[in-house]
Amino acid sequence: MTIKKRFMKRILVIEDDKNIAAALAIRLEAANYEVTTASNGLEGLKQILENRPDLIVMDIWMPIGMGFSVAERLHGLGLSGIPIVFITASKQTGLLEAAKELGAVAFFEKPYDPEQLLETICTALRSKELPNRAQTRSVATSLC
Amino acid sequence: MPGIQGPKALALAQEHCPGVPFIFVSGAIGDEVAVESLKAGATDYVLKDRLVRLVPAIRRALHEAEELACRREIEAQVKRSMRQYEALVNSVDGIVWQAELPSLRFTFVSEQAQRLLGYPAQDWLEQPEFWQKHIHPEDREEAVRLCGSLTTKEKYRSFEYRMLAANGGVVWLRDIVSVRHEEGQSPQIQGILVNITGRKQAEAARRDIQAKLERTYRDLVKRNEEIQNFYHTLSHELKTPLTSAREFISIVMDGLAGPLNPTQTEYLTIARESCQQLQACVNDLLDATRLETGKMALDLRPASLSTLTAQVMASLGPRAAQQQIGLQQEFPGDLPEIPVDEHRMKQVLTNLLNNAIKYTPAGGSITVRMQDAPARPQLLQISVSDTGCGIPLEEHDRIFDRLHQIKAGDATTEQGVGLGLYLCKELVQLHGGNIWVESQPGKGSTFHFVLPKSQQLLRSNLLVIDDDPDMLDMLRQLLMAEQYHVRTARDGREGLDEMRRQTPDIVLLDLAMPEVNGPATLREIRREWGQIPVIVHTAFSDSDLMKQALAFSPFTLLAKPSSPDQVIETVRKVQRAGDTEVWRKNHFGLQKPYSN
């Protein structure tokens, strides 16, 4: 079990809505990832520094520590190699562009499509091992 | 003399014919008598023994009499002109004044001074520094300085200041001042003070209104932002629990919480669909807010509309099949890519197809056609036809309104917040196109929309026919500034020649013109170019000319005088409608939409 765990990829979910964080954790664990959660940006940052996850799934609007500022700090700390997947319920214009600029690997609007999310995470983790990082993908969930 | 004495005769002559010279001729007379007679008004005195002096005396007397008459006439004239001048000066609606320099002591003010400020004219002249003392303290120094510094080099100078009236009020005056300096005299300053209180008050009122408008505008902009932010927050707050609900339903349905029996799966499917509907409503609401606050921006890129339509049809296929509705498409193979926002265009197509599915009974069919817009090859026309319940004529325009919802009972199931067609209309119009419906209750509906094939082609070709060169020039400049290609013609004949040279997209036609007038031109236009869009631009909406023109309707009426905004708005409407909408809406003998 411990050997298996060592090879499991670790994903950190930073999301202020407890229910969505739980749903994400269930999905990701079901897909064989080791999942930890943080309910705000600051806590997330602490966990990143302590545990060095392989990938971060992060909300943009959170009461303490916006998703973007966490991403910026990671750049400053030389941790920009950790792929970030942003998830947001906001439809404000410019978010996708901002996420791209911060080198996010994907950007999902809530409600997200769980299959697409899992596929994107899987691809991101695989391409992380390759020299060329995948480009930011925008996944516009079909809304109608 | 017997009967009458000389002095008596002199008195009589002076009484009855003054001005006629009177010479005494006498034998002998003392010096004293002579002096008395001359004092009494005699012109001269000749002694009989010196009669030789009589003739020169008469000549001199006549000459002097003439000179005197002349002088009297001149004096009378001077008096008359003085009176006229005074009347003129006093009738000027302002205070005409004169003062000495550099003391600024007033030497003249016209009678209006009393009327305007309530002080008698004497006060101005007699009280030293009257003028200075009655200037509003805030304006005094400047006004005195300006007046005192005036030189003869300047033609005139005008400035504005306030004076205090006798009734305690404040009067705004404009002083137009000049300096006169004649040889040998001290310099004079003169001017006219005009009451501009009304203008100043109007200006102040205008500034007030301006400030109010600016405040209102700022408030509205702020309010707009607030509404936008509110809806963003609302959308965020609604979506977060919705995401969670849908996710947990999915997790359970995907078996991550243990196996499910078929009934459980069925119920959860319903729950998930409800989540999806709720989500669509939230999105529509947000889009509508964006459109209303002008925050909707399109990302136009060339795309194949047939591919987009096929994708949308594929995603809705299962739903149509479930309701036993056939989905067909009729696309020609050679459609070009056109500039659209893919996501928004999919939204339009999805809304139209969803509606069609919603209102079509089982066994019906839905067809999507795509072709060049009839008579307007620069537009691509997409038509979604169904065999559903149809829409009554009176609803045709209203269904595109915001907040309009077809009455319950007409539809099989109510869905959405009724924003679908409103969003379609707004999104199509943002693309530079237009949308309309043709429908008969019971027989089905066809929603048509047209989109420009190129944003450049949005530049329509206009022909303006008007005999007034100023009007032509104004319209040309106005429309060219709006990026239209504009040609002009000064009468009907020239207009028809221009049209033969190159067919315009829209004709703007004056009715009252010499030679070939508006109705005659319109008749020829209809004969040669059929139903080309025409805007009749006329001041005579009820005239015989209009009645004659009506025989060649449909056309859009633009009443003169029209504001630039009205002109542009009308041209845009006609341009967008392309075919039907404006012609039907904007009256004149047309009951049914025009069809090609």
Side-chain angles (χ1 to χ4, degrees), chain A residues 12-87:
Chain A
L12 172 64
V13 174
I14 311 177
E15 161 69 65
D16 66 320
D17 186 273
K18 280 192 195 106
N19 293 337
I20 293 177
L24 282 167
I26 294 168
R27 281 276 173 205
L28 294 169
E29 275 164 7
N32 276 323
Y33 296 110
E34 189 190 323
V35 182
T36 47
T37 57
S39 64
N40 64 55
L42 277 183
E43 197 192 312
L45 204 61
K46 223 190 307 174
Q47 289 204 27
I48 294 166
L49 293 174
E50 279 168 14
N51 304 325
R52 303 289 161 104
D54 296 294
L55 187 139
I56 301 162
V57 175
M58 180 158 54
D59 191 12
I60 292 178
W61 297 104
M62 287 179 292
I64 315 159
M66 284 258 300
F68 288 156
S69 75
V70 172
E72 269 168 6
R73 285 185 206 183
L74 289 184
H75 276 279
L77 293 164
L79 292 172
S80 56
I82 306 174
I84 300 174
V85 174
F86 280 112
I87 299 186

Side-chain angles (χ1 to χ4, degrees), chain B residues 226-261:
Chain B
E226 280 170 5
I227 292 173
Q228 184 83 355
N229 285 338
F230 170 74
Y231 278 96
H232 272 300
T233 313
L234 183 69
S235 140
H236 187 270
E237 295 303 305
L238 286 171
K239 272 188 195 165
T240 303
L242 192 61
T243 303
S244 153
R246 210 190 74 158
E247 242 325 79
F248 276 101
I249 292 168
S250 295
I251 286 169
V252 176
M253 284 181 79
D254 289 351
L256 297 179
L260 290 178
N261 67 38

Side-chain angles (χ1 to χ4, degrees), chain B residues 460-596:
Chain B
S460 283
N461 228 312
L462 303 186
L463 176 64
V464 184
I465 309 175
D466 201 310
D467 63 321
D468 176 356
D470 290 339
M471 179 60 79
L472 269 190
D473 206 43
M474 190 277 281
L475 287 171
R476 183 177 47 218
Q477 287 186 11
L478 176 67
L479 292 164
M480 277 172 70
E482 290 297 309
Q483 304 298 317
Y484 289 102
H485 291 292
V486 184
R487 286 179 300 149
T488 55
R490 281 165 301 179
D491 61 42
R493 188 165 295 126
E494 210 182 294
L496 292 168
D497 286 347
E498 277 293 330
M499 288 185 71
R500 285 182 195 109
R501 215 165 291 145
Q502 194 197 344
T503 312
D505 297 307
I506 299 170
V507 181
L508 205 72
L509 179 69
D510 182 26
L511 282 191
M513 291 187 292
E515 310 251 352
V516 185
N517 69 9
T521 312
L522 194 53
R523 185 185 62 224
E524 289 305 303
I525 290 174
R526 291 290 177 243
R527 207 168 56 80
E528 273 188 61
W529 291 276
Q531 302 296 347
I532 189 167
V534 174
I535 298 169
V536 168
H537 191 208
T538 181
F540 307 102
S541 319
D542 303 318
S543 65
D544 281 350
L545 280 175
M546 178 54 82
K547 277 183 203 135
Q548 291 167 32
L550 281 176
F552 312 107
S553 60
F555 51 75
T556 303
L557 180 70
L558 176 60
K560 279 183 190 172
S562 49
S563 70
D565 284 351
Q566 283 169 330
V567 174
I568 290 161
E569 173 75 357
T570 308
V571 171
R572 285 222 181 106
K573 262 192 187 164
V574 171
Q575 181 193 9
R576 276 184 186 158
D579 311 313
T580 54
E581 193 184 45
V582 173
W583 294 352
R584 195 174 67 242
K585 265 190 192 162
N586 290 24
H587 35 48
F588 294 130
L590 188 71
Q591 298 304 317
K592 280 187 205 162
Y594 160 74
S595 61
N596 282 286

Side-chain angles (χ1 to χ4, degrees), chain B residues 187-256:
Chain B
Q188 291 258 316
I189 180 168
Q190 59 198 11
I192 174 161
L193 278 162
V194 184
N195 184 357
I196 53 163
T197 309
R199 198 193 83 201
K200 284 285 176 186
Q201 280 168 349
E203 274 175 14
R206 207 193 56 221
R207 272 197 303 274
D208 267 9
I209 291 171
Q210 183 87 19
K212 252 182 224 158
L213 278 175
E214 276 167 18
R215 249 195 331 271
T216 311
Y217 177 74
R218 275 197 303 273
D219 287 352
L220 278 175
V221 168
K222 205 175 135 223
R223 187 101 189 93
N224 214 7
E225 295 283 321
E226 280 170 5
I227 292 173
Q228 184 83 355
N229 285 338
F230 170 74
Y231 278 96
H232 272 300
T233 313
L234 183 69
S235 140
H236 187 270
E237 295 303 305
L238 286 171
K239 272 188 195 165
T240 303
L242 192 61
T243 303
S244 153
R246 210 190 74 158
E247 242 325 79
F248 276 101
I249 292 168
S250 295
I251 286 169
V252 176
M253 284 181 79
D254 289 351
L256 297 179

